[in-house]
């Protein structure tokens, strides 16, 4: 009878049916003659369902046995001790783990005197907000969708067909819901997400691209709505899928190919970098059952994921790393039970230092507790966000407001610097103003170059900026800055030219009042058709060069002088030349030059430039030379 019960318990355990396995192993253990293997698997059955206090009880009994205990059980036992706030004892057990495995001993980092002060430094930064959409079932996850929507997963049943339960924890399968975010950070109007992203099996932890058109999410291994199984064991692995937003629904579900997904391991909990160029995700490949690490891959133009790499040991530990999230600044957040913390899963933040090494900090109390805290996400525009925790029993959503940013002890912002010099002499230019604008061209701030022409300042990472360099007497220079990563350094030293100098065919030319830009810029003459005043298409390119010069030199104005040939009556030609001047001025003003900077005057046939006067027979080409416009420089006072 005992052997049959053990066989049945082992079968349930091997199928990841941990609720059933736990019940069967517990009956055996309560008989008083359980083996070390029964205690180990009984502890695991609770450990994998985050019931750490119950797992602690059975791991403690395992440690009392005289058998050869596998090293990983020392690590798990230490983790459960930590959740019971027995930090010193956890460090002692962890030291045994390192001794057995021969790995570098890091148990001292788990001593409360070595990590509690660091956690205290980050504590007190959050105000928690009430979330009313939690139910008696589980709710978790935080994926922002547009300006006022949050996606999350819940195991509550939405219809009679969604009643199947999974054997791992005997709960209903998760589906993805949306909720409306209120101005104070509350969540209202929960409803199941439309489209093909939900079925009777698990769907959770979505993330949506910035354009709102593509979703990555975690789902059970299913094809044609039938639950997939691995070939070795009857195990349902998790995979990452992609959906497209079409006609207000999520459709065209695609499974990401290997090496993201496989029928031999689980992958899930996708997250996107701020520029949507990288996909972070969690996988238990090459790992003990129950543990997982964070990976990242590049999203290619061919719509695939390449260059998949495991994040370094400063992120991934011997424990479980999961639920990555990257905020708008590029800071990585994740949950782990392998880093020193307050409980089971704690939420951590990570940013790379100048050497490219991640520095990891615990987010402190409020978000973290003695229980599992995970699935953290924050909106950097209002510092409000959400995380999940089982501190009240079920997995529930919690809202928060971050009162001050996490402190990495170094500035994570990218830096822009440069040296402004005279384009001819190379002498430094002091007092150049550098105006900084955001992606909507709203001015953020401004800086000045010092006596050596140097400047340096920080900007927000992963945001587009525009810089405008200006000083009286010099031509303004505008530089567009793409998204820069954290701690990226960019040197920008644009050439600034004297406003009264221009570069023509690589030759510096000085502008003087009264000069004709047609000659200074070596333009093709601006000609008109006979008896016409419409701007020729062939002349627009030349006029655009004049417009560009005026836009870059606000202290220069222009007088347009228009002329006709000698043919026709004098009064007609005078009127026609004024029309040509007006048409030319109108073109320049429509191109963006202030109208008070451009005037026009018509001279008819009074200022011919060749011998083609009345009564003299000339070729059409000779007459065309007189049908011209001149662009006379006027300096603004």
């Amino acid at each position: 009878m005992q052997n049959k019960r053990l066989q049945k318990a082992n079968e349930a355990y091997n199928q990841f049916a941990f609720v059933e396995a736990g019940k069967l192993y517990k009956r055996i253990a309560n008989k008083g003659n359980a083996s070390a293997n029964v205690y180990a698997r009984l502890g695991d059955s609770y450990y994998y369902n985050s019931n750490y206090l119950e797992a602690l009880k059975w791991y403690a009994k395992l440690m009392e046995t005289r058998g050869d205990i596998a090293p990983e059980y020392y690590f798990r036992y230490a983790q459960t001790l930590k959740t019971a706030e027995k930090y010193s004892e956890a460090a002692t057990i962890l030291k045994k783990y390192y001794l057995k495995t021969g790995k570098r001993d890091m148990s001292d980092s788990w001593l409360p005197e070595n990590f509690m002060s660091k956690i205290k430094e980050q504590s007190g930064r959050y105000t928690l907000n009430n979330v009313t959409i939690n139910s008696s079932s589980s709710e978790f996850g935080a994926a922002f969708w547009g300006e006022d929507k949050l996606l999350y997963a819940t195991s509550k049943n939405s219809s009679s067909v969604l009643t199947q339960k999974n054997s791992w924890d005997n709960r209903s399968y998760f589906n993805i819901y949306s909720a409306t975010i209120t101005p104070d950070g509350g969540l209202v109007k929960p409803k199941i997400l439309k489209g093909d992203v939900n079925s009777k099996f698990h769907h959770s932890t979505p993330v949506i691209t910035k354009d709102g058109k593509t979703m990555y999410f975690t789902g059970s291994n299913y094809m044609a709505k039938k639950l997939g199984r691995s070939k070795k064991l009857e195990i349902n692995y998790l995979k990452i899928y992609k959906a497209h937003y079409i006609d207000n629904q999520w459709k065209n579900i695609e499974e990401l190919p290997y090496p993201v997904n496989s029928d031999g391991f689980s992958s899930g909990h996708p997250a996107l970098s701020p520029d949507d160029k990288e996909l972070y995700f969690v996988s238990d490949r090459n790992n003990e059952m129950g543990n997982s690490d964070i990976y990242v891959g590049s999203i290619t133009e061919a719509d695939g994921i390449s260059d998949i790499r495991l994040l370094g040991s400063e992120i991934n530990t011997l424990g479980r790393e999961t639920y990555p999230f990257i905020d708008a600044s590029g800071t990585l957040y994740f949950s782990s039970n392998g880093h020193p913390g307050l409980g089971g899963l704690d939420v951590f933040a990570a940013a790379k230092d100048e050497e490219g090494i991640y520095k990891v900090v615990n987010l402190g109390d409020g978000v973290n507790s003695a229980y599992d805290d995970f699935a953290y996400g924050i909106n950097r525009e209002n510092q409000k966000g959400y995380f999940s925790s089982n501190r009240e029993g079920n997995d529930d959503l919690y809202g928060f407001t971050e009162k001050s940013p996490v402190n990495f002890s170094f500035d994570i912002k990218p830096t822009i610097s440069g040296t402004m010099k005279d384009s001819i002499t190379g002498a430094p230019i002091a007092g150049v103003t550098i105006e900084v604008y955001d992606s909507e061209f709203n001015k953020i701030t401004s800086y000045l170059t010092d006596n050596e022409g140097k400047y340096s300042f920080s900007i927000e990472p992963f945001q587009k900026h525009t810089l405008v360099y200006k000083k009286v007497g010099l031509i303004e220079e505008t530089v567009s800055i793409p998204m820069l990563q954290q701690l990226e350094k960019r040197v920008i030293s644009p050439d600034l030219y004297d406003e009264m100098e221009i570069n023509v065919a690589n030759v510096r030319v000085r502008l003087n009042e009264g000069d004709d830009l047609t000659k200074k810029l070596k333009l093709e003459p601006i000609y008109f058709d006979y008896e016409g005043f419409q701007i020729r298409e062939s002349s627009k390119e030349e006029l655009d060069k004049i417009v560009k010069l005026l836009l870059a030199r606000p202290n220069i104005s222009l007088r347009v002088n228009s002329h006709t040939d000698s043919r026709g009556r004098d009064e007609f030609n005078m009127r026609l030349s004024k029309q040509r001047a007006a048409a030319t001025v109108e073109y320049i003003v429509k191109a963006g030059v202030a109208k008070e900077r451009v005037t026009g005057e018509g001279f008819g046939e009074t200022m011919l430039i060749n011998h083609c006067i009345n009564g003299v027979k000339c070729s059409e080409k000779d007459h065309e030379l007189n049908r011209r416009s001149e662009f006379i420089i006027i300096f603004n006072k």
Side-chain angles (χ1 to χ4, degrees), residues 208-228:
I208 298 176
T209 54
K210 297 293 184 298
D211 61 10
K213 296 179 180 179
T214 304
M215 174 198 295
Y216 298 91
F217 66 96
T218 306
S220 298
N221 176 17
Y222 69 95
M223 295 299 293
K225 296 188 177 180
K226 292 184 179 180
L227 197 62

Side-chain angles (χ1 to χ4, degrees), residues 269-531:
H269 307 324
L272 288 166
S273 61
D275 55 6
D276 286 345
K277 292 182 178 180
E278 291 186 314
L279 182 76
Y280 291 74
F281 64 95
V282 171
S283 181
D284 62 1
R285 65 190 73 187
N286 303 319
N287 235 323
E288 295 291 337
M289 182 177 65
N291 290 340
S292 56
D293 291 320
I294 300 176
Y295 292 76
V296 62
S298 301
I299 300 176
T300 66
E301 293 183 2
D303 219 17
I305 311 295
S306 65
D307 187 30
I308 290 178
R309 54 204 182 275
L310 176 69
L311 295 188
S313 58
E314 64 270 30
I315 298 292
N316 292 311
T317 68
L318 300 169
R320 177 187 175 203
E321 278 68 50
T322 187
Y323 296 104
F325 172 82
I326 300 88
D327 71 9
S329 74
T331 299
L332 168 65
Y333 298 85
F334 65 98
S335 290
S336 172
N337 59 14
H339 289 274
L342 296 176
L345 290 172
D346 271 26
V347 182
F348 296 83
K352 290 182 179 180
D353 62 15
E354 291 189 350
E355 297 180 355
I357 305 299
Y358 274 114
K359 299 300 181 183
V360 177
V361 297
N362 187 297
L363 289 192
D365 63 14
V367 167
N368 289 324
S369 67
Y371 299 87
D372 278 338
D373 305 294
F374 56 99
Y376 177 100
I378 186 170
N379 180 348
R380 278 289 159 222
E381 292 186 2
N382 57 18
Q383 313 306 321
K384 294 183 182 296
Y386 304 88
F387 70 96
S388 305
S389 177
N390 63 359
R391 62 187 64 179
E392 297 296 331
N394 285 328
D395 294 336
D396 287 324
L397 292 169
Y398 293 81
F400 67 81
T401 300
E402 185 185 65
K403 295 182 290 186
S404 59
V406 61
N407 179 19
F408 287 107
S409 74
F410 58 90
D411 190 354
I412 65 173
K413 293 181 179 180
T415 302
I416 295 178
S417 62
T419 303
M420 309 306 298
K421 296 181 179 179
D422 186 279
S423 60
I424 298 177
T425 67
I429 306 176
V432 176
T433 300
I434 302 104
E435 295 178 344
V436 184
Y437 295 85
D438 63 17
S439 60
E440 303 297 326
F441 211 73
N442 299 309
K443 185 176 177 180
I444 301 173
T445 186
S446 62
Y447 301 90
L448 286 174
T449 57
D450 61 19
N451 290 334
E452 296 180 346
K454 296 181 179 180
Y455 74 93
S456 178
F457 57 85
S458 299
I459 60 173
E460 293 297 327
F462 289 102
Q463 294 187 23
K464 294 180 179 179
H465 295 83
T466 299
L467 307 182
V468 178
Y469 298 78
K470 58 173 59 176
K471 185 177 181 179
V472 175
L474 300 178
I475 301 171
E476 288 185 11
E477 185 70 25
T478 299
V479 178
S480 295
I481 307 298
M483 292 182 178
L484 301 183
Q485 298 182 14
Q486 291 183 352
L487 284 175
E488 185 173 349
K489 298 183 184 300
R490 185 68 60 93
V491 177
I492 303 175
S493 301
D495 290 332
L496 296 185
Y497 296 99
D498 189 310
E499 192 173 8
M500 299 311 162
E501 291 183 345
I502 54 175
N503 190 352
V504 181
N506 295 322
V507 176
R508 302 300 299 172
V509 176
R510 184 76 185 179
L511 298 178
N512 298 297
E513 190 161 27
D515 286 344
D516 182 359
L517 286 178
T518 305
K519 297 177 181 178
K520 284 288 186 177
L521 298 180
K522 295 185 178 180
L523 302 177
E524 293 294 328
I526 310 298
Y527 292 138
F528 293 90
D529 294 333
Y530 176 62
E531 294 189 350

